[in-house]
Amino acid sequence: MSPGHIALPADMPAPETGGCLATRQILDRIGDKWSLYIVAMLAHGPRRFNELKRGIDGISQRMLTLTLRGLERDGLVTRTMYPTIPPRVDYELTDMGQTLLTPVMALVNWANDNQAAIADARQRFDDKPEPDQVLIQGVVYERR
Amino acid sequence: MSPGHIALPADMPAPETGGCLATRQILDRIGDKWSLYIVAMLAHGPRRFNELKRGIDGISQRMLTLTLRGLERDGLVTRTMYPTIPPRVDYELTDMGQTLLTPVMALVNWANDNQAAIADARQRFDDKPEPDQVLIQGVVYERR
DNA sequence: CCGTATCCCCGAGGATACTG
DNA sequence: CAGTATCCTCGGGGATACGG
């Protein structure tokens, strides 16, 4: 059993098929700092390198290149070079990249719908005072 | 404009509502190394601490505690202590935690359906030989 | 049984400078 | 314009030991 492997509940894809490893993979891809922003920018058609750079606030040249390479490697994005002067490179979602948009949007929408509830929960959790006493192994401990 | 802010495409939730920040938040939560495994384990009812620990291969005591605290803080999981001897603590998905299951499963299923295609794409990308020559600014450069 | 406290390592990612 | 190359920082997360 590999590290990080878990016994998945019945309604998850069979673990033997590598379902949870596949999930880890795609989560490592879209869970990183920039991939989703890039995918979002490419959702409505091809974009050039600097077009992406300008559209994604805060991203460095380095991370844009690196993330695009990763997406390209995984077959989610295509890279097309035009040997013009000055050079021009277009990035575009592949068909697979397009299909990823559906589950990703479901997550984005969930996040959007529940952000207030999460913020509230955090507030309550953080504001919660330490209990005056705790009961451990049948013994009461008071706070001083 | 905050760092990491992007202009979202039209079909994404309005950025002004914090849609992309909310997405960042939820992605930071479920995108980490263990949260999904825990949520998966809790999908079919409450589980005890060590039950989770045994079920999730490779997780350390520390990370289980930390991740559970994070999930609890965000209102996705409840923690219930029973002051018995020995002590017993149950963790359970909240209603909000349950609703998260839907978009997450969509992603898990996508990962499952496309893992082969991704593996293939990677193979092709990694096997791709360096081009014998490149054309830059209208000039041919040969490889040595 | 259910945690904290410490120490430590490694890699994601930022800043900056240079290049075809 | 579209990248590399280099250096450096910072925090997620592992290992281990201890505590109620």
Side-chain angles (χ1 to χ4, degrees):
Chain A
M1 194 128 83
S2 66
H5 178 93
I6 71 158
L8 288 164
D11 58 351
M12 286 224 173
E16 320 83 55
T17 66
C20 61
L21 292 162
T23 304
R24 181 75 268 142
Q25 260 185 31
I26 185 61
L27 224 55
D28 284 343
R29 164 77 23 252
I30 68 155
D32 70 6
K33 195 166 179 182
W34 300 111
S35 288
L36 219 38
Y37 294 134
I38 294 180
V39 169
M41 286 278 299
L42 295 178
H44 295 312
R47 293 283 181 271
R48 305 183 50 168
F49 186 85
N50 272 359
E51 209 171 344
L52 290 169
K53 180 150 168 36
R54 273 189 303 274
I56 303 175
D57 195 81
I59 195 170
S60 65
Q61 201 131 274
R62 174 184 138 84
M63 284 318 295
L64 181 54
T65 308
L66 248 54
T67 310
L68 282 169
R69 286 292 174 282
L71 291 167
E72 191 193 356
R73 180 167 113 101
D74 285 358
L76 297 170
V77 158
T78 58
R79 185 183 119 101
T80 316
M81 261 201 61
Y82 302 93
T84 55
I85 303 178
R88 172 203 176 111
V89 181
D90 274 14
Y91 291 93
E92 188 169 14
L93 285 185
T94 61
D95 289 351
M96 179 162 65
Q98 288 282 346
T99 68
L100 177 58
L101 237 36
T102 309
V104 159
M105 287 308 298
L107 204 63
V108 169
N109 287 325
W110 187 95
N112 209 44
D113 293 346
N114 293 89
Q115 58 172 322
I118 290 180
D120 283 8
R122 283 190 184 176
Q123 199 70 39
R124 275 195 307 278
F125 187 92
D126 294 343
D127 290 355
K128 186 166 36 183
E130 315 303 328
D132 290 343
Q133 48 170 247
V134 283
L135 191 56
I136 297 170
Q137 305 273 24
V139 182
V140 176
Y141 295 85
E142 297 214 350
R143 185 162 80 102
R144 49 172 187 83
Chain B
M1 193 130 86
S2 66
H5 180 95
I6 70 160
L8 290 164
D11 58 353
M12 286 223 172
E16 320 82 56
T17 67
C20 61
L21 291 163
T23 303
R24 183 73 268 145
Q25 260 184 31
I26 185 62
L27 225 56
D28 284 342
R29 163 83 17 255
I30 69 156
D32 71 5
K33 195 166 178 183
W34 301 110
S35 289
L36 259 207
Y37 294 134
I38 294 179
V39 170
M41 286 278 298
L42 295 179
H44 294 313
R47 292 283 181 272
R48 304 183 50 169
F49 185 85
N50 273 359
E51 211 172 344
L52 290 169
K53 182 151 168 34
R54 273 190 303 274
I56 303 174
D57 195 81
I59 195 171
S60 64
Q61 201 132 269
R62 176 184 135 84
M63 285 317 294
L64 181 52
T65 307
L66 248 56
T67 310
L68 282 169
R69 286 292 175 282
L71 291 167
E72 191 194 354
R73 182 167 110 101
D74 285 358
L76 298 169
V77 158
T78 57
R79 182 182 121 103
T80 316
M81 260 200 65
Y82 302 95
T84 56
I85 303 176
R88 172 205 177 110
V89 181
D90 275 14
Y91 292 93
E92 188 170 13
L93 285 185
T94 61
D95 288 351
M96 179 163 64
Q98 288 282 347
T99 69
L100 177 57
L101 237 36
T102 307
V104 160
M105 287 308 299
L107 204 62
V108 168
N109 288 325
W110 186 95
N112 208 44
D113 293 347
N114 293 90
Q115 58 172 319
I118 291 181
D120 284 8
R122 283 191 186 177
Q123 199 69 40
R124 276 194 306 278
F125 187 92
D126 294 342
D127 290 355
K128 186 169 32 183
E130 316 300 329
D132 290 343
Q133 47 170 248
V134 283
L135 190 57
I136 297 171
Q137 305 272 25
V139 181
V140 176
Y141 295 86
E142 298 213 349
R143 185 160 80 102
R144 50 171 188 84

